[in-house]
Amino acid sequence: MILKLIESFSSVADKVILTPIMGSREINTYGIDSKQLQDKIDGAYLLETFQDVADFIKQNAKPNDLVITLGCGDIYKAAKLILE
């Protein structure tokens, strides 16, 4: 499953922005963290906060770029900060 994720991001996205993986109700059965993903995904950046994500997007996104925020929990907060 993790390999498919890495392949998908590496082959489709120009840039991938990761944040730390936050624990929810589930146990990290794969024992993987965001730094390990960053090391394997071409063009990936690891940013610590949603504000860091918003700032990066605002500085790097160009007209007609597609920006997707994806995850569980409160990742929607990053999208709101991008729109400010």
Side-chain angles (χ1 to χ4, degrees):
M1 181 172 117
I2 298 299
L3 291 176
K4 288 286 187 191
L5 172 79
I6 292 167
E7 287 175 17
S8 296
F9 283 136
S10 294
S11 66
V12 176
D14 294 323
K15 291 183 176 84
V16 175
I17 301 165
L18 303 166
T19 59
I21 297 172
M22 302 301 213
S24 60
R25 294 177 288 168
E26 297 180 22
I27 297 170
N28 185 350
T29 56
Y30 296 104
I32 193 157
D33 62 36
S34 297
K35 178 63 177 143
Q36 292 168 313
L37 291 174
Q38 179 195 22
D39 292 343
K40 297 196 180 295
I41 298 172
D42 295 334
Y45 299 84
L46 178 57
L47 304 176
E48 291 298 316
T49 69
F50 293 151
Q51 187 63 59
D52 293 339
V53 171
D55 293 343
F56 183 92
I57 298 295
K58 288 177 184 181
Q59 292 170 7
N60 291 281
K62 296 174 180 53
N64 299 315
D65 280 354
L66 174 63
V67 175
I68 299 171
T69 58
L70 177 67
C72 61
D74 53 1
I75 190 66
Y76 70 91
K77 291 178 182 177
K80 286 186 175 186
L81 289 169
I82 293 166
L83 295 175
E84 288 181 352

Coordinates of all heavy atoms in Angstrom, one line a residue:
M1 N 0.8 -1.2 0.0 CA 0.0 0.0 0.0 C 0.9 1.3 0.0 O 0.6 2.2 -0.8 CB -0.9 0.0 1.2 CG -1.8 1.2 1.3 SD -3.1 1.1 2.5 CE -2.6 2.4 3.6
I2 N 1.9 1.3 0.9 CA 2.7 2.5 0.9 C 3.5 2.6 -0.4 O 3.7 3.8 -0.9 CB 3.7 2.3 2.1 CG1 3.0 2.3 3.4 CG2 4.7 3.5 2.1 CD1 2.1 3.5 3.8
L3 N 3.9 1.5 -1.0 CA 4.7 1.7 -2.3 C 3.8 2.2 -3.3 O 4.3 3.0 -4.2 CB 5.2 0.3 -2.7 CG 6.4 -0.2 -1.8 CD1 6.8 -1.6 -2.3 CD2 7.5 0.7 -1.8
K4 N 2.5 1.9 -3.4 CA 1.6 2.4 -4.4 C 1.4 3.9 -4.2 O 1.4 4.7 -5.1 CB 0.2 1.7 -4.3 CG 0.2 0.3 -4.8 CD 0.3 0.3 -6.3 CE 0.2 -1.1 -6.8 NZ 0.5 -1.2 -8.2
L5 N 1.3 4.4 -2.9 CA 1.2 5.8 -2.6 C 2.5 6.5 -3.1 O 2.3 7.6 -3.8 CB 1.1 6.0 -1.1 CG 1.2 7.4 -0.6 CD1 -0.2 8.1 -0.8 CD2 1.5 7.4 0.9
I6 N 3.6 6.0 -2.8 CA 4.9 6.6 -3.3 C 4.9 6.7 -4.8 O 5.3 7.7 -5.4 CB 6.1 5.9 -2.7 CG1 6.1 6.1 -1.2 CG2 7.4 6.3 -3.4 CD1 7.1 5.1 -0.5
E7 N 4.6 5.6 -5.5 CA 4.6 5.6 -6.9 C 3.6 6.6 -7.5 O 3.9 7.3 -8.4 CB 4.2 4.2 -7.4 CG 5.3 3.1 -7.3 CD 4.8 1.8 -7.7 OE1 3.7 1.6 -8.4 OE2 5.4 0.8 -7.3
S8 N 2.4 6.7 -6.9 CA 1.4 7.6 -7.4 C 1.9 9.0 -7.3 O 1.8 9.8 -8.2 CB 0.1 7.4 -6.6 OG -0.4 6.2 -6.8
F9 N 2.4 9.4 -6.1 CA 2.8 10.8 -5.9 C 4.0 11.1 -6.8 O 4.1 12.2 -7.4 CB 3.1 11.1 -4.5 CG 1.9 11.3 -3.6 CD1 1.9 10.7 -2.4 CD2 0.9 12.1 -4.0 CE1 0.7 10.9 -1.6 CE2 -0.2 12.3 -3.3 CZ -0.3 11.7 -2.0
S10 N 4.9 10.2 -6.9 CA 6.1 10.4 -7.7 C 5.9 10.6 -9.2 O 6.5 11.3 -9.9 CB 7.2 9.3 -7.5 OG 7.6 9.3 -6.2
S11 N 4.9 9.9 -9.7 CA 4.6 9.9 -11.1 C 3.6 11.0 -11.5 O 3.6 11.3 -12.7 CB 4.1 8.5 -11.6 OG 2.9 8.2 -11.0
V12 N 2.8 11.5 -10.6 CA 1.7 12.4 -11.0 C 2.0 13.8 -10.6 O 1.7 14.7 -11.3 CB 0.4 11.9 -10.5 CG1 -0.7 12.9 -10.8 CG2 0.0 10.5 -11.1
A13 N 2.5 14.0 -9.4 CA 2.6 15.3 -8.8 C 3.9 15.9 -9.1 O 5.0 15.3 -9.0 CB 2.4 15.2 -7.3
D14 N 3.9 17.2 -9.4 CA 5.2 18.0 -9.6 C 5.8 18.2 -8.2 O 7.0 18.2 -8.1 CB 4.9 19.3 -10.2 CG 4.4 19.1 -11.7 OD1 4.9 18.2 -12.3 OD2 3.6 19.9 -12.1
K15 N 5.0 18.5 -7.2 CA 5.5 18.8 -5.9 C 4.5 18.1 -4.9 O 3.3 18.2 -5.1 CB 5.5 20.3 -5.6 CG 6.6 21.0 -6.3 CD 6.6 22.5 -5.9 CE 7.8 23.2 -6.5 NZ 7.5 23.7 -7.8
V16 N 5.0 17.5 -3.9 CA 4.2 16.9 -2.8 C 4.6 17.6 -1.5 O 5.8 17.6 -1.2 CB 4.4 15.4 -2.7 CG1 3.7 14.8 -1.6 CG2 4.0 14.7 -4.0
I17 N 3.7 18.1 -0.8 CA 4.0 18.7 0.5 C 3.4 17.8 1.6 O 2.2 17.5 1.6 CB 3.4 20.1 0.6 CG1 3.9 21.0 -0.5 CG2 3.6 20.7 2.0 CD1 3.2 22.2 -0.8
L18 N 4.3 17.4 2.5 CA 3.9 16.5 3.6 C 3.9 17.3 4.9 O 4.8 18.2 5.0 CB 4.8 15.3 3.6 CG 4.9 14.5 2.4 CD1 6.1 13.5 2.5 CD2 3.7 13.7 2.2
T19 N 3.1 16.9 5.8 CA 3.2 17.4 7.2 C 3.4 16.2 8.1 O 3.2 15.0 7.6 CB 1.9 18.1 7.6 OG1 0.8 17.2 7.5 CG2 1.7 19.4 6.7
P20 N 3.8 16.4 9.3 CA 3.9 15.2 10.2 C 2.6 14.4 10.3 O 1.5 15.0 10.2 CB 4.2 15.9 11.5 CG 4.9 17.2 11.2 CD 4.1 17.6 10.0
I21 N 2.8 13.1 10.3 CA 1.6 12.2 10.4 C 1.1 12.3 11.9 O 1.9 12.1 12.8 CB 2.0 10.8 10.0 CG1 2.4 10.7 8.6 CG2 0.8 9.8 10.3 CD1 3.0 9.4 8.1
M22 N -0.1 12.7 12.0 CA -0.7 12.8 13.3 C -1.5 11.5 13.7 O -2.2 11.0 12.8 CB -1.6 14.0 13.4 CG -1.0 15.3 13.0 SD 0.4 15.6 14.2 CE 0.3 17.3 14.3
G23 N -1.3 11.0 14.9 CA -2.0 9.9 15.3 C -3.5 10.2 15.6 O -3.8 11.3 16.1
S24 N -4.3 9.3 15.2 CA -5.7 9.5 15.5 C -6.1 8.3 16.4 O -5.4 8.0 17.3 CB -6.6 9.6 14.3 OG -6.4 8.4 13.5
R25 N -7.2 7.7 16.0 CA -7.6 6.5 16.8 C -6.9 5.2 16.3 O -6.9 4.2 17.0 CB -9.1 6.3 16.6 CG -9.9 7.4 17.2 CD -11.4 7.2 17.0 NE -11.6 7.4 15.6 CZ -12.7 7.1 14.9 NH1 -13.7 6.5 15.6 NH2 -12.9 7.4 13.7
E26 N -6.1 5.3 15.2 CA -5.5 4.1 14.7 C -4.0 4.0 15.1 O -3.4 5.0 15.3 CB -5.6 4.1 13.2 CG -7.1 4.1 12.7 CD -7.2 4.1 11.2 OE1 -6.2 3.7 10.5 OE2 -8.2 4.5 10.7
I27 N -3.6 2.8 15.2 CA -2.2 2.5 15.5 C -1.4 2.6 14.2 O -1.8 2.1 13.1 CB -2.0 1.2 16.2 CG1 -2.8 1.2 17.5 CG2 -0.6 0.8 16.4 CD1 -2.9 -0.2 18.1
N28 N -0.2 3.1 14.2 CA 0.7 3.2 13.1 C 1.3 1.8 12.8 O 2.4 1.5 13.2 CB 1.8 4.2 13.3 CG 2.7 4.4 12.1 OD1 2.6 3.7 11.1 ND2 3.6 5.4 12.1
T29 N 0.5 0.9 12.2 CA 0.9 -0.5 12.0 C 2.0 -0.6 11.0 O 2.7 -1.6 11.0 CB -0.3 -1.3 11.5 OG1 -0.8 -0.7 10.3 CG2 -1.4 -1.4 12.6
Y30 N 2.3 0.4 10.1 CA 3.3 0.3 9.2 C 4.6 0.9 9.7 O 5.7 0.7 9.1 CB 2.9 1.0 7.9 CG 1.8 0.4 7.2 CD1 0.5 1.0 7.2 CD2 1.9 -0.8 6.5 CE1 -0.6 0.4 6.6 CE2 0.9 -1.4 5.8 CZ -0.4 -0.8 5.9 OH -1.4 -1.4 5.3
G31 N 4.6 1.6 10.8 CA 5.8 2.2 11.4 C 6.5 3.2 10.5 O 7.7 3.2 10.4
I32 N 5.7 4.0 9.8 CA 6.3 4.9 8.8 C 6.0 6.3 9.3 O 5.0 6.6 9.9 CB 5.7 4.6 7.4 CG1 6.5 5.4 6.4 CG2 4.2 5.0 7.3 CD1 6.4 4.8 5.0
D33 N 6.9 7.2 8.9 CA 6.7 8.6 9.3 C 6.8 9.5 8.0 O 7.3 9.0 7.0 CB 7.6 9.1 10.4 CG 9.0 9.0 10.1 OD1 9.4 9.3 8.9 OD2 9.8 8.7 11.0
S34 N 6.5 10.7 8.1 CA 6.5 11.6 7.0 C 7.9 11.8 6.4 O 8.1 12.0 5.2 CB 6.0 13.0 7.4 OG 4.6 12.9 7.7
K35 N 9.0 11.8 7.2 CA 10.3 11.9 6.7 C 10.7 10.8 5.8 O 11.3 10.9 4.7 CB 11.3 12.0 7.9 CG 12.8 12.1 7.4 CD 13.0 13.4 6.7 CE 14.5 13.5 6.3 NZ 14.8 14.0 5.0
Q36 N 10.3 9.6 6.2 CA 10.5 8.4 5.3 C 9.8 8.5 4.0 O 10.4 8.2 2.9 CB 10.1 7.1 6.0 CG 10.9 6.8 7.2 CD 10.3 5.7 8.1 OE1 9.1 5.7 8.4 NE2 11.1 4.7 8.4
L37 N 8.6 9.1 4.0 CA 7.9 9.3 2.7 C 8.6 10.3 1.9 O 8.8 10.2 0.7 CB 6.4 9.7 3.0 CG 5.5 8.6 3.6 CD1 4.2 9.2 3.9 CD2 5.4 7.5 2.6
Q38 N 9.0 11.4 2.5 CA 9.7 12.5 1.8 C 10.9 12.0 1.1 O 11.2 12.3 0.0 CB 10.1 13.6 2.8 CG 10.8 14.7 2.1 CD 11.5 15.7 3.0 OE1 11.8 15.3 4.2 NE2 11.8 16.9 2.6
D39 N 11.7 11.1 1.8 CA 12.9 10.6 1.2 C 12.6 9.7 -0.1 O 13.5 9.6 -0.9 CB 13.6 9.7 2.2 CG 14.2 10.6 3.4 OD1 14.3 11.8 3.2 OD2 14.5 10.0 4.4
K40 N 11.4 9.2 -0.2 CA 11.1 8.3 -1.3 C 10.3 8.9 -2.4 O 10.1 8.3 -3.5 CB 10.5 7.0 -0.8 CG 11.4 6.3 0.2 CD 10.9 4.9 0.4 CE 11.7 4.1 1.3 NZ 13.1 3.8 0.8
I41 N 9.7 10.1 -2.1 CA 8.8 10.7 -3.1 C 9.5 11.8 -3.8 O 10.0 12.8 -3.2 CB 7.5 11.2 -2.5 CG1 6.7 10.1 -1.9 CG2 6.7 12.0 -3.5 CD1 5.5 10.6 -1.0
D42 N 9.7 11.7 -5.1 CA 10.4 12.8 -5.9 C 9.6 14.1 -5.7 O 8.4 14.1 -5.9 CB 10.4 12.4 -7.4 CG 11.3 11.2 -7.6 OD1 12.2 10.9 -6.8 OD2 11.1 10.5 -8.7
G43 N 10.3 15.2 -5.5 CA 9.7 16.5 -5.4 C 8.9 16.7 -4.1 O 8.0 17.5 -4.1
A44 N 9.2 16.0 -3.0 CA 8.4 16.1 -1.8 C 9.1 17.1 -0.8 O 10.3 17.1 -0.8 CB 8.2 14.8 -1.1
Y45 N 8.3 17.8 -0.1 CA 8.7 18.7 0.9 C 8.0 18.3 2.2 O 6.9 18.0 2.2 CB 8.4 20.2 0.6 CG 9.0 20.7 -0.7 CD1 8.4 20.4 -1.9 CD2 10.2 21.4 -0.7 CE1 9.0 20.8 -3.1 CE2 10.8 21.8 -1.9 CZ 10.1 21.5 -3.1 OH 10.7 22.0 -4.3
L46 N 8.7 18.4 3.3 CA 8.2 18.2 4.6 C 8.1 19.5 5.4 O 9.1 20.1 5.7 CB 9.0 17.1 5.4 CG 8.5 16.8 6.8 CD1 7.1 16.3 6.8 CD2 9.5 15.8 7.4
L47 N 6.9 19.9 5.7 CA 6.7 21.2 6.4 C 6.0 20.9 7.7 O 5.1 20.0 7.8 CB 5.9 22.2 5.5 CG 6.5 22.4 4.1 CD1 5.6 23.3 3.3 CD2 7.9 23.1 4.3
E48 N 6.3 21.7 8.7 CA 5.9 21.3 10.1 C 4.5 21.8 10.4 O 3.8 21.2 11.2 CB 6.9 21.9 11.1 CG 8.2 21.2 11.1 CD 8.1 19.7 11.4 OE1 7.4 19.4 12.4 OE2 8.7 18.9 10.8
T49 N 4.1 23.0 9.9 CA 2.8 23.5 10.3 C 1.9 23.8 9.0 O 2.4 23.9 7.9 CB 3.0 24.8 11.0 OG1 3.5 25.9 10.1 CG2 3.9 24.7 12.2
F50 N 0.6 24.0 9.3 CA -0.3 24.3 8.2 C 0.1 25.7 7.7 O -0.1 26.0 6.5 CB -1.7 24.3 8.7 CG -2.2 22.9 9.0 CD1 -3.2 22.7 10.0 CD2 -1.7 21.8 8.4 CE1 -3.6 21.4 10.3 CE2 -2.1 20.5 8.7 CZ -3.1 20.3 9.6
Q51 N 0.5 26.6 8.5 CA 0.9 27.9 8.1 C 2.1 27.8 7.1 O 2.2 28.5 6.1 CB 1.3 28.9 9.3 CG 1.5 30.3 8.8 CD 0.3 30.9 8.2 OE1 -0.8 31.0 8.8 NE2 0.4 31.4 6.9
D52 N 3.1 26.9 7.5 CA 4.2 26.7 6.5 C 3.7 26.2 5.2 O 4.2 26.6 4.1 CB 5.2 25.7 7.1 CG 5.9 26.2 8.4 OD1 6.0 27.4 8.6 OD2 6.4 25.3 9.1
V53 N 2.7 25.3 5.2 CA 2.1 24.8 4.0 C 1.5 25.9 3.2 O 1.8 26.1 2.0 CB 1.1 23.7 4.3 CG1 0.3 23.3 3.0 CG2 1.8 22.5 4.9
A54 N 0.7 26.7 3.8 CA 0.0 27.8 3.1 C 1.0 28.8 2.5 O 0.9 29.2 1.4 CB -0.9 28.6 4.1
D55 N 2.0 29.1 3.3 CA 3.1 30.1 2.8 C 3.8 29.5 1.6 O 4.0 30.2 0.6 CB 4.1 30.4 3.9 CG 3.5 31.2 5.0 OD1 2.4 31.8 4.9 OD2 4.1 31.2 6.1
F56 N 4.1 28.2 1.6 CA 4.8 27.5 0.5 C 3.9 27.6 -0.7 O 4.4 27.9 -1.8 CB 5.1 26.1 0.9 CG 5.9 25.4 -0.2 CD1 7.3 25.4 -0.1 CD2 5.3 24.7 -1.2 CE1 8.0 24.7 -1.1 CE2 6.0 24.0 -2.2 CZ 7.4 24.0 -2.1
I57 N 2.7 27.2 -0.6 CA 1.7 27.3 -1.7 C 1.6 28.7 -2.3 O 1.7 28.9 -3.5 CB 0.3 26.7 -1.3 CG1 0.4 25.3 -0.8 CG2 -0.7 26.9 -2.4 CD1 0.8 24.3 -1.9
K58 N 1.4 29.6 -1.4 CA 1.3 31.0 -1.9 C 2.5 31.5 -2.7 O 2.4 32.2 -3.6 CB 1.0 31.9 -0.7 CG -0.4 31.8 -0.2 CD -0.6 32.7 1.0 CE -1.9 32.5 1.7 NZ -2.0 33.4 2.9
Q59 N 3.7 31.0 -2.3 CA 4.9 31.4 -2.9 C 5.2 30.6 -4.2 O 6.0 31.1 -5.1 CB 6.1 31.3 -1.9 CG 6.0 32.3 -0.8 CD 7.1 32.0 0.3 OE1 7.9 31.1 0.1 NE2 7.0 32.7 1.4
N60 N 4.7 29.4 -4.3 CA 5.1 28.5 -5.4 C 4.1 28.2 -6.4 O 4.4 27.8 -7.5 CB 5.7 27.2 -4.8 CG 7.0 27.5 -4.1 OD1 8.1 27.6 -4.8 ND2 7.0 27.6 -2.8
A61 N 2.8 28.3 -6.0 CA 1.7 27.9 -7.0 C 1.6 29.0 -8.1 O 1.8 30.2 -7.8 CB 0.4 27.8 -6.3
K62 N 1.4 28.5 -9.3 CA 1.3 29.4 -10.4 C -0.2 29.3 -11.0 O -0.9 28.4 -10.7 CB 2.3 29.0 -11.5 CG 3.7 29.1 -11.1 CD 4.7 28.6 -12.1 CE 6.1 28.7 -11.8 NZ 6.5 28.2 -10.5
P63 N -0.6 30.3 -11.8 CA -1.9 30.2 -12.4 C -2.1 28.8 -13.0 O -1.2 28.3 -13.7 CB -1.9 31.3 -13.4 CG -0.9 32.3 -12.8 CD 0.1 31.5 -12.2
N64 N -3.3 28.3 -12.9 CA -3.7 27.0 -13.4 C -3.1 25.8 -12.7 O -3.3 24.7 -13.2 CB -3.5 26.9 -14.9 CG -4.2 28.0 -15.7 OD1 -5.4 28.2 -15.4 ND2 -3.6 28.7 -16.6
D65 N -2.4 26.0 -11.7 CA -1.9 24.8 -10.9 C -3.1 24.3 -10.1 O -4.0 25.0 -9.7 CB -0.8 25.2 -9.9 CG 0.6 25.4 -10.5 OD1 0.7 25.0 -11.7 OD2 1.5 25.8 -9.8
L66 N -3.1 23.0 -9.9 CA -4.1 22.3 -9.1 C -3.4 22.0 -7.7 O -2.4 21.4 -7.6 CB -4.5 21.0 -9.7 CG -5.5 20.2 -8.9 CD1 -6.8 20.9 -8.7 CD2 -5.7 18.8 -9.7
V67 N -4.1 22.5 -6.7 CA -3.6 22.3 -5.3 C -4.6 21.5 -4.6 O -5.8 21.9 -4.5 CB -3.3 23.6 -4.6 CG1 -3.0 23.4 -3.1 CG2 -2.3 24.5 -5.3
I68 N -4.2 20.4 -4.1 CA -5.2 19.5 -3.3 C -4.6 19.3 -1.9 O -3.5 19.0 -1.7 CB -5.2 18.1 -4.0 CG1 -5.8 18.2 -5.5 CG2 -6.1 17.1 -3.2 CD1 -5.7 17.0 -6.3
T69 N -5.5 19.5 -0.9 CA -5.1 19.2 0.4 C -5.8 17.8 0.7 O -7.0 17.7 0.5 CB -5.6 20.2 1.4 OG1 -7.0 20.5 1.4 CG2 -4.8 21.5 1.2
L70 N -5.1 16.9 1.2 CA -5.6 15.5 1.4 C -5.1 15.0 2.7 O -3.9 15.0 2.9 CB -5.2 14.7 0.2 CG -5.5 13.2 0.2 CD1 -7.1 13.0 0.0 CD2 -4.8 12.5 -1.0
G71 N -6.0 14.4 3.5 CA -5.6 13.8 4.7 C -6.8 13.7 5.6 O -7.9 14.0 5.3
C72 N -6.5 13.2 6.8 CA -7.6 13.1 7.8 C -7.3 14.1 8.8 O -6.3 14.8 8.8 CB -7.6 11.7 8.4 SG -6.1 11.2 9.2
G73 N -8.3 14.3 9.7 CA -8.1 15.3 10.7 C -8.4 16.7 10.2 O -9.3 16.9 9.5
D74 N -7.5 17.6 10.6 CA -7.8 19.0 10.4 C -6.9 19.6 9.3 O -6.6 20.8 9.3 CB -7.6 19.8 11.7 CG -6.3 19.6 12.4 OD1 -5.5 18.9 11.9 OD2 -6.1 20.3 13.4
I75 N -6.6 18.9 8.2 CA -5.8 19.4 7.1 C -6.6 20.5 6.4 O -6.0 21.3 5.7 CB -5.5 18.2 6.1 CG1 -4.5 18.7 5.0 CG2 -6.7 17.6 5.5 CD1 -3.1 19.1 5.6
Y76 N -7.9 20.5 6.6 CA -8.7 21.6 5.9 C -8.2 23.0 6.4 O -8.4 23.9 5.7 CB -10.2 21.4 6.3 CG -10.5 21.7 7.7 CD1 -10.9 23.0 8.1 CD2 -10.5 20.7 8.7 CE1 -11.2 23.2 9.5 CE2 -10.7 20.9 10.0 CZ -11.1 22.2 10.4 OH -11.4 22.5 11.7
K77 N -7.6 23.0 7.5 CA -7.1 24.3 8.0 C -6.0 24.9 7.1 O -5.9 26.1 7.0 CB -6.6 24.2 9.5 CG -7.7 23.9 10.5 CD -7.1 23.7 11.9 CE -8.2 23.3 12.9 NZ -7.6 23.1 14.2
A78 N -5.2 24.0 6.5 CA -4.2 24.5 5.6 C -4.9 25.1 4.4 O -4.5 26.2 3.9 CB -3.3 23.3 5.2
A79 N -6.0 24.5 3.9 CA -6.7 25.1 2.7 C -7.2 26.4 3.0 O -7.2 27.4 2.2 CB -7.8 24.1 2.3
K80 N -7.8 26.6 4.2 CA -8.3 27.9 4.6 C -7.2 29.0 4.7 O -7.4 30.1 4.3 CB -9.0 27.8 6.0 CG -10.4 27.1 5.9 CD -11.1 27.1 7.3 CE -12.5 26.5 7.1 NZ -13.2 26.7 8.3
L81 N -6.1 28.6 5.2 CA -4.9 29.5 5.3 C -4.4 29.9 3.9 O -4.0 31.0 3.7 CB -3.8 28.9 6.1 CG -4.1 28.8 7.6 CD1 -3.0 27.9 8.2 CD2 -4.1 30.2 8.3
I82 N -4.5 29.0 2.9 CA -4.1 29.3 1.6 C -5.0 30.3 1.0 O -4.5 31.2 0.3 CB -4.1 28.0 0.7 CG1 -3.0 27.0 1.2 CG2 -3.9 28.3 -0.8 CD1 -3.1 25.6 0.6
L83 N -6.2 30.3 1.3 CA -7.2 31.2 0.7 C -7.2 32.6 1.4 O -7.7 33.5 0.8 CB -8.6 30.6 0.8 CG -8.8 29.4 -0.1 CD1 -10.2 28.8 0.2 CD2 -8.6 29.7 -1.5
E84 N -6.5 32.7 2.5 CA -6.5 34.0 3.2 C -5.6 35.0 2.4 O -4.6 34.7 1.8 CB -6.0 33.9 4.6 CG -7.0 33.2 5.5 CD -6.4 33.1 6.9 OE1 -5.2 33.4 7.2 OE2 -7.2 32.7 7.8

